[in-house]
């Protein structure tokens, strides 16, 4: 019997509500919507930490960031921490194409034999001895094969690359290389990871005109920005990223471009999925689609990630199993830390005992998950060192510095509560059943104190189980 293959498609900064299976029927995503119709759809999938490097470390290793060491952006994944390809038999052909953001960006590592890098901006973070002048495979393709010369500098930076025609874009290149890989390895077991940068900032691309801004809705929670009395860190995020968007029309225009980027990814992900079918590989390949975190994109009048709101921490997560022809849904919260053991079980491989996630395989039939989900935040992650002047009336410089380093720990419960415990006291408590858009923080209400203590206790129990040393004082 042939071994089961893995095609793992993931994006950067894609909200969960960009697909029809999560309620968005306006945005054009025909290929991924079609995938969802024949996949296990996880209704409430959460990241381990809402920023790139930590989240990716969990997706690849099945470990929380505080365990694998990637607690902030641009920290390398230690060589001794294995990724899923390193847990597969040696006869698997393995590849990672796209953004990596786990150290030594353009160099093959962690069990991936074939490598196609698309990002050149991380050279300063390469380990000692790695040639910082070497260009990514995408840049070499643009310059040497396509005859494109960067307008300034040695390579096309993200803004310059985003302004190239679609056939020269990163998604088009990744689709081309992924199809080549499938053709070359059709007769052997494989694990292919493809990561699209889009719809990550700079939030512009060849599909900027695809959507009419006037037809783009604002989020239902657009009118409820964070409460300045106890949300210094979310407010800092709001001020850092959102200053340019001071009218509803600017937000609509931004969201229109974001939708265009999502549709661009859909087109080129569709090319890969079509090739999988055409080569006769679909019936023996698990296909995953997810993202490393979401984006506020106007929710609470905020942009980007790093906060614990649903739009930042919740992502699409689809898994199509070999031979699956109908959609199955799993209700209740699940964590991306569970993906590695889940995929190993579905691929018929042993699950290493060091993994901190639990397989979700049995839930595909049961249709519900009744586990708590835990999300962490581990410091400022490169946030501005000095307090913005616009926050002067809300906090002192010392309070701002504490807020930026606040090691928040969050629990999302199966019965619909989201509690974020802040060591500096900026707690958040939301009843997601009654308030799915998180507009009313209940943490300051005396009648909720017992609930907060109980939820804090569940977080502390999880900390003990996973070796998390962040100190959480009493409520």
């Amino acid at each position: 019997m042939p071994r089961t293959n893995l095609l793992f498609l993931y994006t950067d900064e894609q909200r969960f509500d960009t697909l029809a299976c999560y309620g968005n029927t306006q945005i054009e995503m025909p290929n991924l919507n079609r995938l969802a119709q024949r996949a296990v759809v996880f209704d409430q999938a959460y990241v381990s930490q809402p920023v790139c490097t930590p989240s990716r470390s969990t997706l690849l290793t099945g470990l929380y960031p505080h365990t694998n060491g990637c607690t902030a952006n641009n920290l390398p994944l230690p060589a001794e921490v294995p990724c899923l390809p390193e847990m597969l038999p040696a006869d698997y052909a393995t590849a990672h194409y796209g953004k990596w953001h786990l150290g030594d960006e353009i160099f093959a590592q962690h069990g991936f034999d074939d490598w196609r890098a698309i990002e050149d901006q991380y050279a300063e973070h390469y380990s000692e001895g790695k040639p910082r002048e070497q260009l990514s495979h995408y840049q070499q393709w643009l310059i040497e094969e396509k005859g494109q010369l960067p307008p300034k500098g040695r390579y096309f930076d993200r803004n310059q690359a985003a302004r190239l025609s679609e056939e020269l874009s990163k998604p088009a290149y990744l689709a081309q290389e992924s199809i080549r890989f499938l053709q070359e390895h059709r007769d052997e077991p494989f694990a292919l990871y493809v990561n699209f940068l889009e719809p990550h900032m700079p939030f512009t691309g060849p599909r900027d005109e695809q959507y009419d801004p006037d037809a783009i809705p604002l989020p239902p929670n657009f009118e409820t920005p964070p409460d300045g009395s106890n949300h210094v860190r979310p407010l800092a995020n709001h001020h850092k990223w959102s200053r340019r968007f001071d009218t509803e029309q600017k937000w609509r225009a931004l969201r229109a471009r974001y939708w265009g980027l999502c549709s661009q990814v859909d087109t080129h992900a569709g090319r890969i999925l079509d090739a999988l079918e055409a080569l006769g590989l679909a019936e023996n390949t698990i296909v995953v689609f997810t993202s490393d975190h979401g984006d506020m994109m106007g929710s609470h009048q905020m942009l980007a990630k790093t906060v614990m709101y649903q739009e930042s921490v919740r992502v699409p997560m689809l898994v199509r199993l070999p031979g699956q022809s109908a959609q199955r849904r799993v209700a209740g919260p699940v964590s991306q830390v569970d993906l590695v053991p889940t995929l190993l079980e579905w691929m018929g491989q042993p699950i290493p005992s060091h993994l901190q996630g639990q397989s979700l395989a049995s839930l595909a039939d049961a249709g519900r998950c009744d586990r708590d989900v835990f999300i962490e935040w581990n410091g400022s992650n490169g946030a501005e060192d000095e307090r913005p002047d616009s926050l002067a009336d809300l906090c002192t410089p010392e309070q701002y510095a504490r807020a930026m380093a606040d090691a928040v720990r969050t629990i999302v419960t199966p019965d619909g509560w989201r509690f974020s415990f802040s060591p500096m006291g900026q707690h958040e408590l939301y009843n997601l059943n009654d308030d799915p858009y998180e507009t009313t923080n209940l943490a300051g209400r005396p009648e909720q104190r017992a609930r907060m203590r109980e939820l804090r206790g569940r977080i502390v129990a999880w900390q003990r189980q996973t070796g998390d040393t962040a100190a959480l004082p009493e409520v």
Side-chain angles (χ1 to χ4, degrees):
M1 181 176 178
R3 296 186 189 271
T4 302
N5 306 315
L6 174 63
L7 172 60
F8 195 109
L9 305 174
Y10 62 128
T11 56
D12 195 325
E13 205 151 319
Q14 184 167 350
R15 290 166 62 115
F16 72 95
D17 58 359
T18 49
L19 297 176
C21 62
Y22 296 105
N24 191 334
T25 56
Q26 285 184 268
I27 185 171
E28 295 177 17
M29 304 284 280
N31 296 295
L32 293 171
N33 286 341
R34 186 168 60 251
L35 175 68
Q37 291 169 0
R38 295 190 295 155
V40 180
V41 177
F42 293 91
D43 287 341
Q44 276 183 270
Y46 292 93
V47 303
S48 63
Q49 184 170 329
V51 74
C52 294
T53 296
S55 177
R56 290 158 181 271
S57 72
T58 293
L59 276 174
L60 271 295
T61 69
L63 302 172
Y64 288 100
H66 69 260
T67 300
N68 64 42
C70 292
T71 53
N73 268 351
N74 300 314
L75 293 178
L77 182 64
E80 65 271 16
V81 178
C83 291
L84 186 146
E86 295 170 283
M87 306 173 199
L88 296 176
D91 62 342
Y92 268 79
T94 58
H96 190 281
Y97 293 172
K99 181 181 173 183
W100 173 247
H101 212 174
L102 290 169
D104 288 342
E105 183 73 18
I106 67 174
F107 305 101
Q109 57 191 285
H110 281 284
F112 291 106
D113 300 322
D114 198 1
W115 196 268
R116 294 292 184 276
I118 62 171
E119 297 300 313
D120 291 81
Q121 67 182 60
Y122 303 117
E124 65 179 294
H125 303 290
Y126 293 171
S127 57
E128 186 175 354
K130 297 292 185 184
R132 285 168 167 74
E133 70 281 358
Q134 186 168 323
L135 294 179
S136 71
H137 305 83
Y138 171 66
Q139 297 290 339
Q140 294 177 48
W141 175 73
L142 281 177
I143 296 169
E144 298 171 10
E145 294 189 33
K146 297 300 179 179
Q148 302 293 314
L149 296 178
K152 57 181 179 179
R154 293 191 309 113
Y155 60 86
F156 289 86
D157 65 26
R158 281 183 179 170
N159 286 287
Q160 294 162 353
R163 287 168 171 78
L164 294 170
S165 60
E166 183 158 345
E167 62 268 21
L168 298 174
S169 68
K170 294 175 181 178
Y173 170 74
L174 291 175
Q176 169 192 294
E177 293 302 295
S178 298
I179 293 168
R180 175 196 54 77
F181 176 89
L182 294 175
Q183 292 169 337
E184 292 178 355
H185 298 282
R186 61 187 301 178
D187 296 324
E188 57 187 317
F190 65 81
L192 170 61
Y193 282 68
V194 185
N195 181 242
F196 299 93
L197 172 67
E198 293 79 7
H200 187 281
M201 56 196 64
F203 302 131
T204 188
R207 304 281 188 97
D208 282 354
E209 308 303 321
Q210 182 169 348
Y211 295 95
D212 177 5
D214 292 335
I216 302 296
L218 292 173
N221 49 13
F222 178 78
E223 297 293 343
T224 55
D227 176 5
S229 63
N230 66 343
H231 284 72
V232 173
R233 192 170 67 83
L235 269 171
N237 174 286
H238 164 71
H239 283 261
K240 179 179 181 181
W241 295 109
S242 309
R243 296 169 191 156
R244 292 173 292 163
F245 304 99
D246 54 1
T247 68
E248 288 190 6
Q249 189 58 27
K250 289 180 181 179
W251 279 111
R252 291 180 194 275
L254 175 69
R255 286 168 61 82
R257 295 194 299 273
Y258 181 82
W259 281 20
L261 290 168
C262 291
S263 292
Q264 181 187 1
V265 167
D266 180 85
T267 293
H268 298 287
R271 292 172 57 198
I272 302 172
L273 295 172
D274 288 347
L276 194 75
E277 294 276 358
L279 292 167
L281 297 170
E283 294 305 303
N284 196 42
T285 302
I286 295 171
V287 179
V288 179
F289 177 77
T290 191
S291 190
D292 62 352
H293 50 73
D295 189 293
M296 297 304 291
M297 199 49 58
S299 294
H300 304 292
Q301 297 180 30
M302 296 172 67
L303 187 63
K305 53 273 186 182
T306 76
V307 290
M308 295 294 179
Y309 287 119
Q310 296 294 295
E311 298 83 3
S312 171
V313 297
R314 193 172 158 197
V315 290
M317 197 163 88
L318 318 174
V319 183
R320 191 184 74 193
L321 300 174
Q324 184 173 352
S325 59
Q327 185 184 96
R328 286 183 275 172
R329 302 190 77 104
V330 176
V334 299
S335 173
Q336 287 185 335
V337 77
D338 298 323
L339 261 180
V340 168
T342 302
L343 294 174
L344 288 172
E345 179 171 347
W346 271 331
M347 295 174 78
Q349 301 300 324
I351 300 175
S353 60
H354 76 277
L355 297 182
Q356 293 175 315
Q358 302 177 59
S359 175
L360 303 171
S362 62
L363 304 180
D365 294 322
R368 178 161 186 87
C369 183
D370 289 311
R371 306 173 189 165
D372 293 331
V373 161
F374 300 92
I375 310 166
E376 59 191 78
W377 182 255
N378 292 292
S380 64
N381 196 68
E384 299 171 57
D385 294 329
E386 297 183 4
R387 178 198 63 187
D389 291 339
S390 52
L391 294 181
D393 59 338
L394 298 176
C395 62
T396 67
E398 292 75 22
Q399 289 173 321
Y400 177 81
R402 286 177 57 214
M404 289 294 95
D406 200 20
V408 175
R409 294 296 184 265
T410 290
I411 180 173
V412 180
T413 70
D415 59 346
W417 290 91
R418 192 267 280 184
F419 175 51
S420 294
F421 188 98
S422 156
M424 72 174 291
Q426 295 186 15
H427 311 309
E428 293 179 272
L429 179 68
Y430 293 98
N431 183 340
L432 299 178
N433 299 304
D434 300 334
D435 184 19
Y437 297 105
E438 299 170 312
T439 60
T440 304
N441 184 6
L442 304 175
R445 301 190 180 183
E447 68 269 21
Q448 296 294 342
R449 205 160 294 161
R451 184 187 307 277
M452 291 166 63
R453 290 195 184 100
E454 192 266 335
L455 293 176
R456 174 197 173 276
R458 283 152 76 169
I459 295 174
V460 170
W462 165 79
Q463 287 186 292
R464 293 194 189 103
Q465 181 182 4
T466 64
D468 179 25
T469 59
L472 301 188
E474 294 297 328
V475 174

